[in-house]
Amino acid sequence: MKGKETYFGGIFRGWRTMLKGMRLSGKHLKKGFKRDAPLSIMDEGYFDKVDGPITIQYPMEKVAVPDNGRYRLHMETDDCIACDKCARICPVDCITIESFRADGDLGRTSDGTVKRLHLPTFDIDMGKCMYCGLCTTVCPTECLTMTKVYDFSEFDRDNFVYHFGAYSPEEEVRIRKETEAALAEKKAAKAAAGGGIKKRPVMRKKPVVKRLPQEETTNTPSIGEETPPPRKRPVRRARPVMKPKTEDPPEATPETAAPAEETEAPKPKKRPRPVMRRKPAPEAEPPQIETPAEETEAPKPIKRPRPVMRRKPAPEAKPPQIEPPAEETEAPKPKKR
């Protein structure tokens, strides 16, 4: 355990800590004077930047955002054809569209598409939007886009609803009345010129006509004409009827027996049908080759057992024989006569 700190030791430690903090602050203050322009995340060298501003003066200065970011929605009213695709694909139903038919073409969009519907209402509730970007993907004229505006906070929720309709409520009522009147006039003129409204043809099935058998002609052929051969009608054959099996009649007694002439012939009894059983397959015999009569069969060679090769036993080791020297050998004895 360290000893108790002295009075002058505490003062010295406080001054040393303060000098370290002032040196670190001066280091960052020196870097803060290098006011380089803020780079976008899509620019080269964004992550290589080390020195630069410590803070930015918001809202006069803002951090650059990427071009493909998903932020607040914007709709170009002049390019919208009121196809309703964006409202149907929106997963949170934040887009509301109302349209009605026009009495003619209303012009063309920037990509050349013809406009045939009035668009009085096109509302987007950014308070519900989940920034998925599906509405901008399906838009055929690309009139719906996402801007780089990311700070659009409000104090009232109603201010999050953006109105992109083409007309005001008063103009909508006036245009609806004019359009309905023009369409009614065109309909009446078309009915007067064409004698009524033409209905679409209805496809109906043809009735099935049953062909009756042709009657034989009784007209006599004139002289010189060949009589055509009469047509033979196809004979309809009756289908066989399977009768139920009846029991055998009771035996007739001599009292109930009828005379021989009136008695019916006895019905033959039904014999059971023979059951066809498969014969067992004969065993396969080796094919026999017929030899001519003159040639006799050669005797078959007798199979001899194969010779078995056995190893010979190793010879026993004999003791070495020591031959006596030539001088010490005995002289041969003379033969007896």
Side-chain angles (χ1 to χ4, degrees), residues 107-138:
R108 294 180 178 271
T109 60
S110 58
D111 62 346
T113 308
V114 182
K115 298 173 65 176
R116 293 187 176 89
L117 296 174
H118 289 286
L119 186 65
T121 305
F122 193 106
D123 297 342
I124 301 176
D125 191 353
M126 293 303 301
K128 297 180 180 179
C129 182
M130 58 182 294
Y131 308 98
C132 62
L134 293 175
C135 54
T136 61
T137 306
V138 301

Side-chain angles (χ1 to χ4, degrees), residues 185-322:
E185 290 178 2
K186 287 184 178 180
K187 188 176 181 180
K190 188 176 181 180
I197 301 172
K198 294 182 180 180
K199 295 182 179 180
R200 292 183 178 180
V202 180
M203 303 300 293
R204 295 179 181 177
K205 293 182 179 181
K206 295 182 179 180
V208 180
V209 180
K210 295 182 179 180
R211 295 184 178 181
L212 300 175
Q214 297 180 358
E215 297 180 358
E216 296 179 1
T217 56
T218 56
N219 297 331
T220 56
S222 58
I223 300 171
E225 294 182 1
E226 296 180 357
T227 57
R231 295 182 178 178
K232 294 182 180 180
R233 295 182 181 179
V235 180
R236 292 185 179 179
R237 297 180 180 179
R239 295 181 179 178
V241 180
M242 303 299 293
K243 295 181 180 180
K245 189 176 181 180
T246 57
E247 297 179 356
D248 296 337
E251 296 180 358
T253 58
E255 297 177 356
T256 58
E261 296 177 357
E262 296 179 3
T263 56
E264 296 179 356
K267 296 181 180 180
K269 295 182 180 180
K270 293 183 179 179
R271 296 180 180 179
R273 293 182 179 180
V275 180
M276 303 299 292
R277 296 181 180 176
R278 294 183 180 179
K279 294 181 180 180
E283 297 181 357
E285 297 179 357
Q288 298 179 358
I289 302 170
E290 296 181 358
T291 57
E294 296 177 358
E295 297 179 1
T296 58
E297 295 182 356
K300 296 181 180 180
I302 300 171
K303 291 184 179 180
R304 296 180 179 178
R306 293 182 179 179
V308 180
M309 303 300 293
R310 296 179 181 178
R311 292 183 179 180
K312 293 181 180 181
E316 297 180 358
K318 295 180 179 180
Q321 297 178 3
I322 303 171

Side-chain angles (χ1 to χ4, degrees), residues 73 86 132-139 142 144-146:
L73 284 169
C86 54
C132 62
L134 293 175
C135 54
T136 61
T137 306
V138 301
C139 184
E142 298 182 359
L144 198 61
T145 56
M146 281 189 163

Side-chain angles (χ1 to χ4, degrees), residues 24 28 59 76 95 102 156 163 172 187-188 206 237 253 256 331:
L24 184 62
H28 284 281
E76 194 66 33
I95 301 176
D156 191 0
H163 306 279
E172 179 186 354
K187 188 176 181 180
K206 295 182 179 180
R237 297 180 180 179
T253 58
T256 58

